[in-house]
């Protein structure tokens, strides 16, 4: 009886762990599909973003895309978020956390980190830029992707404007923070495009310097 009870108890413990294990497995599969889809985009553009090619790249069955992402459009949105906004989103979350936990955290630090996040090596990469080019045209005709872009862009611009305004207030400067944030994002987009088309036109270091120069012209030195 003791052995039987012990066996039953082990089974109960195993049953309790299985939901978490299933969730972890699901996240692994989702990640594999996002990475495979990103590779397909960077290698062949939007024309390579097909169920067959993505599943072949990931080494999974065709049904997993619909199971995890509600179709190709859902997967496309996830690729967009992970490839083009992951670094910026992480810095935005860090800035909000630091502001909430430490009122003495200098606003210059938050703004400089957000500017630099656009040019970090894992973000400002050839693969990401090729994905960006592929998705840029698709945003204009894909309603779901357009909605995701608007949500991410608005959140990013609002955070950037908030950080710019905080620095300007601390230094007693008058700045149109929303307009400056918009112009900075447009500059970054242009630099990304130039670098993607011809790497000899601008280096990542020069692109970052140009971004800082635009903001610093309005709020003063940050570096």
């Amino acid at each position: 009886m003791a052995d039987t009870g012990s066996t039953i108890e082990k089974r109960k413990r195993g049953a309790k762990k299985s939901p978490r294990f299933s969730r972890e497995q699901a996240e692994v599969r989702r990640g594999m599909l996002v990475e495979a889809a990103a590779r397909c985009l960077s290698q062949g553009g939007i024309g390579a973003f097909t169920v067959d090619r993505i599943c072949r790249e990931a080494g999974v069955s065709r049904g997993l895309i619909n199971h995890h992402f509600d179709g190709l459009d859902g997967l496309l949105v996830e690729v967009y978020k992970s490839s083009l906004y992951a670094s910026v989103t992480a810095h935005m979350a860090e800035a909000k956390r630091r502001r909430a936990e430490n009122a003495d955290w200098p606003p210059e630090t938050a703004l400089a980190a957000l500017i630099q996040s656009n040019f970090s090596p894992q973000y400002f990469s050839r693969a990401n830029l090729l994905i960006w080019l592929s998705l840029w045209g698709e945003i204009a005709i894909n309603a779901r992707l357009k909605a995701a872009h608007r949500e991410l862009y608005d959140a990013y611009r609002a955070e950037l404007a908030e950080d710019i305004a905080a620095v300007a207030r601390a230094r007693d400067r008058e700045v149109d923070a929303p307009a400056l944030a918009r112009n900075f994002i447009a500059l970054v987009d242009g630099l990304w495009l130039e670098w993607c088309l011809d790497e000899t036109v601008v280096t990542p270091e020069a692109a970052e310097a140009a971004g800082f120069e635009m903001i610093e012209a309005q709020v003063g030195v940050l570096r």
Side-chain angles (χ1 to χ4, degrees), residues 132-208:
W132 178 78
L133 283 178
S134 299
L135 294 178
W136 198 251
E138 186 69 12
I139 289 170
I141 59 175
N142 185 314
R144 189 168 176 182
L145 188 59
K146 181 185 290 187
H149 165 72
R150 177 51 55 190
E151 178 184 352
L152 291 166
Y153 176 85
D154 286 349
Y156 172 38
R157 187 174 62 176
E159 175 64 28
L160 182 58
E162 182 178 346
D163 289 343
I164 291 171
V167 174
R169 284 194 302 271
R171 298 178 174 186
D172 197 24
R173 289 175 177 252
E174 290 189 11
V175 172
D176 186 345
L180 183 54
R182 177 202 61 209
N183 294 344
F184 171 80
I185 294 171
L187 172 67
V188 172
D189 288 345
L191 291 169
W192 272 45
L193 179 59
E194 290 291 346
W195 188 76
C196 187
L197 297 177
D198 185 352
E199 294 181 18
T200 66
V201 172
V202 62
T203 65
E205 294 77 17
E208 180 179 303

Side-chain angles (χ1 to χ4, degrees), residues 99-117:
R99 279 198 297 268
E101 295 178 357
N102 184 1
D104 295 329
W105 194 47
E108 292 86 355
T109 302
L111 180 55
L114 193 54
I115 293 171
Q116 290 170 330
S117 69

